[in-house]
Amino acid sequence: MAFEFTDENFEETVLNNDGVAVVDLWAPWCGPCRLIGPIIEQLAAEHKDVLIGKMNVDDNPEVPTNFNVRGIPTILFFKNGQLVDKQVGVTTKQALAQKIKHAMAHHA
């Protein structure tokens, strides 16, 4: 089950996280976001050592603004609280898994 990120828990769960966190920024009205949703759920199930989840930008405007997110879906990759990668738009599960691997290897 993908984690539910919010403006309130973001600092604690992502910025203060010793490890990799993947944040899928989405909204219910965004068609392409619905394509990414199931992929995020699968990745969360397969990568137990990585915090993977979703953030509804309608309910949580602060984080997308802080990271200059202009369109959704946007997926942010963090390592030890630092933004190390970003994916804008729809992509494949394989491509996202590769970005998770790179984030895990990244020395932030």
Side-chain angles (χ1 to χ4, degrees):
M1 177 92 184
F3 187 80
E4 190 66 41
F5 293 106
T6 64
D7 280 343
E8 287 73 39
N9 72 19
F10 187 79
E11 184 174 349
E12 178 192 336
T13 58
V14 176
L15 300 182
N16 296 335
N17 182 351
D18 291 335
V20 174
V22 180
V23 183
D24 171 25
L25 300 168
W26 73 287
W29 47 264
C30 163
C33 295
R34 288 197 286 272
L35 300 174
I36 291 282
I39 295 173
I40 293 295
E41 293 289 348
Q42 290 167 17
L43 290 170
E46 291 167 16
H47 296 270
K48 301 285 188 210
D49 52 341
V50 176
L51 180 59
I52 300 175
K54 300 163 63 135
M55 175 181 275
N56 184 331
V57 297
D58 286 348
D59 298 338
N60 303 282
E62 206 174 288
V63 170
T65 301
N66 290 348
F67 288 95
N68 296 317
V69 172
R70 307 226 184 285
I72 52 173
T74 293
I75 301 166
L76 304 176
F77 298 82
F78 292 86
K79 170 83 178 271
N80 300 334
Q82 300 292 311
L83 181 64
V84 295
D85 204 351
K86 180 192 269 192
Q87 168 65 44
V88 179
V90 175
T91 187
T92 64
K93 180 181 170 188
Q94 190 177 4
L96 291 177
Q98 198 62 40
K99 284 184 177 278
I100 290 170
K101 257 194 207 130
H102 284 167
M104 292 174 84
H106 193 277
H107 299 290

